[in-house]
């Protein structure tokens, strides 16, 4: 069955960095929408970054733009999320998700979790001094 496995979470101080990794098994990430989502305490799950792995177009939520970078490694069937200048409000559980591309739509974070069919178990990110 399809598996998405996240890793790389941890505890860092404000201003620190983390590198999250999502490895897909039994699923080819090429020409897909791959997204990173987070759930912070007291809030609903939100999309923070996504990538169209067919054309390489990337999308970011305004709260993480210029600090987070999403990328793909087709050889390793992996999607990465590089997080810099972390803030306490970035604390939460981070999830990787995957879906097929739909004709006439994009992989934009504005679509939220709509259509995402495969999800990982999540990796915890804590930013605290």
């Amino acid at each position: 069955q399809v598996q998405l496995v996240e890793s790389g979470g941890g505890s860092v101080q404000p201003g620190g960095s983390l590198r999250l990794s999502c490895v897909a098994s039994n699923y080819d990430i090429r020409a897909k929408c791959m997204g990173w989502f987070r759930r912070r305490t007291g809030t609903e799950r939100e999309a923070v970054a996504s990538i169209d792995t067919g054309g390489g177009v990337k999308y970011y939520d305004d709260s993480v733009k210029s600090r987070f970078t999403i990328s793909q490694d087709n050889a390793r069937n992996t999607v990465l999320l590089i997080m810099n200048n972390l803030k306490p409000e970035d604390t939460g559980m981070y999830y990787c998700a995957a879906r097929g591309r739909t004709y006439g739509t994009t992989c934009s974070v504005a679509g939220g979790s709509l259509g995402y069919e495969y999800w990982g178990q999540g990796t915890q990110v804590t930013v605290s001094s």
Side-chain angles (χ1 to χ4, degrees):
Q1 70 276 21
V2 174
Q3 278 192 315
L4 300 177
V5 179
E6 305 96 334
S7 63
S11 294
V12 297
Q13 293 186 340
S17 299
L18 285 173
R19 178 178 182 270
L20 304 186
S21 177
C22 171
V23 180
S25 299
N26 300 313
Y27 187 84
D28 188 343
I29 68 166
R30 293 176 296 178
K32 300 293 196 300
C33 291
M34 300 294 296
W36 282 97
F37 296 76
R38 69 184 176 193
R39 188 188 301 275
R40 298 180 287 181
T41 301
T43 69
E44 296 189 357
R45 185 174 56 195
E46 59 185 341
V48 297
S50 58
I51 183 170
D52 179 334
T53 60
V57 180
K58 303 174 183 181
Y59 304 86
Y60 298 96
D61 183 78
D62 286 346
S63 66
V64 306
K65 202 171 294 184
S66 79
R67 300 188 297 121
F68 290 11
T69 302
I70 190 171
S71 64
Q72 64 190 94
D73 183 341
N74 292 342
R76 291 177 171 81
N77 217 31
T78 297
V79 175
L80 302 174
L81 185 68
I82 309 298
M83 306 187 295
N84 295 319
N85 191 22
L86 282 161
K87 303 176 180 181
E89 53 263 40
D90 294 317
T91 294
M93 185 69 78
Y94 283 69
Y95 301 89
C96 172
R99 66 173 174 89
R101 295 186 299 175
T102 304
Y103 179 78
T105 67
T106 71
C107 300
S108 171
V109 293
S113 61
L114 185 66
Y116 281 89
E117 53 188 328
Y118 301 110
W119 292 84
Q121 293 300 306
T123 185
Q124 177 68 34
V125 171
T126 302
V127 186
S128 174
S129 55

